[in-house]
């Protein structure tokens, strides 16, 4: 047993490949026999992943979910930003340029809406809950854009660390909600062609949420959504500490 | 050779991230501005360029295709390392802001997608970019 554990620990990335393969296998079977194919296998796998992340977080008290357990350190590498972005870029190979170009303008519009709408809502909730100063409202509002925009904006305008934590929590909940509920709401959102995927990518923002949500809905839509969503964080970091902060300050004083 | 495809992918990735960083520092943001999106566009154009000149054999394509196919497993691994505990500890402000933001955006997505032109054809469901040119 000790020798097995040693072999797994010594080969973290390989262990991660095997383990994720196992999760996928279980998910595909659950999808086929438990839900009779109604829930996509990838959606189940992502929910299992999130569940394991919660369990890992409870076990170790760390911030990287399952990857904080020594045995599963490879999950951190396999699902880290480097591999995630590498795989996302690779999906561009399947993009139909004409479809993407046709939806270019609406993609930009949804990017703007996807930054401003969550910000206004987050800032308003913060205000109604007693965070009435411009810095707190902006930081929490930016967190509602993505969990990277939140702390970047907070740091730029001098927010306290517990505000930043609150802002990151807001963005994380948003990403998790998008991951889990996209497949369920796909029909409602009209998510069935490249144009709609680009609108979704701009408005839902958060690359992890969009990429996982689309993967669980229809694998072929991933590159279109991701193409737009990857600009979301940059735009948010640009607008958060500048335009949005100044506008908030002008309103609440 | 299969590594050519993976190397092209890696080169596009790195160049895109570099341009994203440069863009970020030019406009004074402490973040990468669209690096991955730029990398995706680079890869699309490199592919079209090489394909037209017949420099894209199937084995080279497989070097990219493998990573595109690994996408979902990578996303599952990504889900498994989210800070779910911290997210659940955020309290009512975080929860209400996030739920409301997601619901509002979903409604706006639905409105835009229902009013806009419907997809003209289903060509995107099959084949790849190279087949169009």
């Amino acid at each position: 047993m000790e020798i097995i554990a040693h072999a797994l620990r010594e080969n973290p990335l390989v262990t991660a490949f095997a383990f994720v393969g196992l999760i996928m296998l279980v998910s595909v079977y659950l999808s086929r026999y438990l839900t009779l194919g109604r829930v996509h296998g990838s959606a189940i796998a992502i929910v299992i992943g999130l569940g394991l992340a919660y369990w890992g977080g409870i076990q170790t008290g760390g911030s990287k979910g399952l990857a904080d357990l020594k045995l599963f350190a490879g999950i951190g590498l396999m699902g880290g930003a480097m591999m995630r972005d590498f795989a996302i870029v690779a999906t561009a190979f399947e993009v139909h340029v004409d479809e993407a170009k046709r939806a270019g303008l609406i993609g930009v519009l949804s990017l703007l809406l996807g930054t401003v709408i969550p910000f206004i809502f987050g800032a308003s909730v913060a205000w109604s809950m007693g965070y009435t100063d411009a810095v707190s409202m902006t930081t929490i509002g930016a967190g509602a854009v993505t969990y990277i925009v939140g702390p970047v904006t907070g740091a730029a305008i001098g927010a306290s660390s517990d505000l930043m934590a609150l802002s990151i929590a807001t963005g994380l909940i948003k990403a998790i909600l998008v991951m889990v509920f996209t497949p369920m709401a796909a029909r409602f959102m009209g998510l069935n062609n490249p144009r709609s995927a680009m609108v979704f990518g701009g408005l839902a923002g958060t690359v992890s949420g969009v990429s996982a949500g689309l993967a669980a809905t229809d694998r072929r839509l991933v590159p279109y959504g991701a193409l737009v969503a990857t600009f979301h964080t940059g735009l948010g970091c640009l607008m958060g500490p500048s335009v949005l902060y100044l506008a908030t300050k002008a309103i609440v004083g | 050779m299969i590594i050519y495809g993976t190397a092209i992918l890696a080169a596009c990735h790195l160049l895109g991230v570099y341009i994203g960083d440069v863009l970020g520092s030019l406009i004074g943001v402490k973040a990468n501005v669209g690096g991955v999106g730029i990398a995706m566009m680079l890869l699309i154009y490199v592919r079209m360029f090489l394909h037209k000149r017949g420099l894209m054999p199937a084995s080279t394509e497989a070097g990219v295709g493998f990573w595109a196919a690994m996408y979902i497993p990578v996303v599952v691994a990504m889900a498994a390392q989210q800070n779910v505990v911290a997210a659940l500890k955020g309290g009512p402000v975080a929860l209400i802001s996030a739920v409301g933001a997601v619901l509002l955006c979903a409604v706006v997505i639905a409105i835009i997608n229902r009013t806009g032109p419907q997809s003209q054809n289903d060509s995107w469901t099959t084949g790849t970019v190279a087949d169009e040119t």
Side-chain angles (χ1 to χ4, degrees):
Chain A
M1 196 61 207
E2 178 51 38
I3 300 174
I4 296 175
H6 180 260
L8 296 178
R9 271 201 307 273
E10 287 294 298
N11 301 284
L13 188 58
V14 179
T15 305
F17 285 151
F19 185 66
V20 173
L22 189 69
I23 295 179
M24 292 300 298
L25 183 74
V26 171
S27 306
V28 167
Y29 272 91
L30 284 177
S31 161
R32 196 175 301 158
Y33 295 108
L34 198 69
T35 74
L36 300 174
R38 268 191 287 269
V39 180
H40 208 291
S42 340
I44 296 175
I46 288 162
V47 173
I48 292 178
L50 289 170
L52 288 170
Y54 179 74
W55 180 76
I58 293 288
Q59 293 291 313
T60 62
S63 64
K64 300 202 76 188
L66 195 63
D68 278 329
L69 285 146
K70 273 215 177 66
L71 201 56
F72 296 110
I75 294 280
L77 185 55
M78 182 176 171
M82 180 175 73
M83 293 292 282
R84 182 197 67 190
D85 292 347
F86 195 60
I88 289 178
V89 174
T91 63
F93 234 44
E94 297 154 15
V95 165
H96 286 245
V97 181
D98 296 345
E99 292 281 351
K101 272 187 192 154
R102 209 177 292 146
L105 199 65
I106 194 82
V108 174
L109 176 71
S110 31
L111 262 178
L112 278 170
L113 287 175
T115 308
V116 175
I117 294 175
F119 179 85
I120 293 176
F121 189 84
S124 311
V125 171
W127 184 80
S128 66
M129 298 284 223
Y131 297 90
T132 50
D133 61 294
V135 170
S136 307
M137 285 174 66
T138 306
T139 307
I140 295 170
V145 181
T146 79
Y147 60 81
I148 296 173
V149 175
V152 168
T153 302
I157 60 176
S160 64
S161 69
D162 42 325
L163 261 178
M164 307 257 258
L166 193 56
S167 156
I168 294 171
T170 308
L172 276 176
I173 298 176
K174 183 186 177 192
I176 293 169
L177 288 174
V178 174
M179 282 182 206
V180 176
F181 290 105
T182 299
M184 296 179 206
R187 194 185 288 261
F188 167 72
M189 294 189 291
L191 205 54
N192 54 16
N193 61 67
R195 178 182 179 275
S196 63
M198 287 174 76
V199 170
F200 172 77
L203 267 156
T206 154
V207 177
S208 41
V210 166
S211 51
L214 284 178
T217 307
D218 186 339
R219 164 73 176 72
R220 294 165 304 192
L221 294 176
V222 167
Y224 302 98
L227 192 59
V228 179
T230 54
F231 286 93
H232 196 267
T233 295
L235 184 68
C237 293
L238 178 64
M239 290 177 68
S242 55
V243 187
L244 296 175
Y245 174 58
L246 294 175
T248 311
K249 211 170 154 188
I251 293 171
V252 299
Chain B
M1 274 207 292
I2 207 159
I3 185 64
Y4 292 161
T6 308
I8 290 170
L9 169 60
C12 289
H13 183 170
L14 293 173
L15 188 59
V17 171
Y18 170 73
I19 295 174
D21 279 336
V22 170
L23 225 62
S25 67
L26 277 181
I27 50 183
V29 193
K30 284 178 221 141
N32 186 290
V33 177
V36 173
I38 295 166
M40 291 174 88
M41 289 182 222
L42 285 172
L43 185 66
I44 292 169
Y45 287 110
V46 166
R47 179 183 184 169
M48 278 168 43
F49 181 86
L50 291 177
H51 198 88
K52 272 184 201 152
R53 282 158 188 75
L55 294 169
M56 205 62 161
S59 63
T60 306
E61 289 198 8
V64 184
F66 173 77
W67 291 104
M70 279 299 280
Y71 175 76
I72 287 178
V74 165
V75 163
V76 172
M78 176 192 80
Q81 54 156 324
Q82 297 293 314
N83 196 351
V84 181
V85 177
L88 294 179
K89 270 195 193 142
V93 178
L95 190 67
I96 297 171
S97 314
V99 171
V102 170
L103 285 179
L104 265 179
C105 287
V107 169
V108 176
I109 294 167
I111 293 170
I112 295 180
N113 283 345
R114 277 162 202 217
T115 52
Q118 293 304 305
S119 193
Q120 282 82 353
N121 56 58
D122 290 333
S123 69
W124 63 276
T125 54
T126 51
T128 48
V129 55
D131 303 330
E132 289 176 8
T133 50

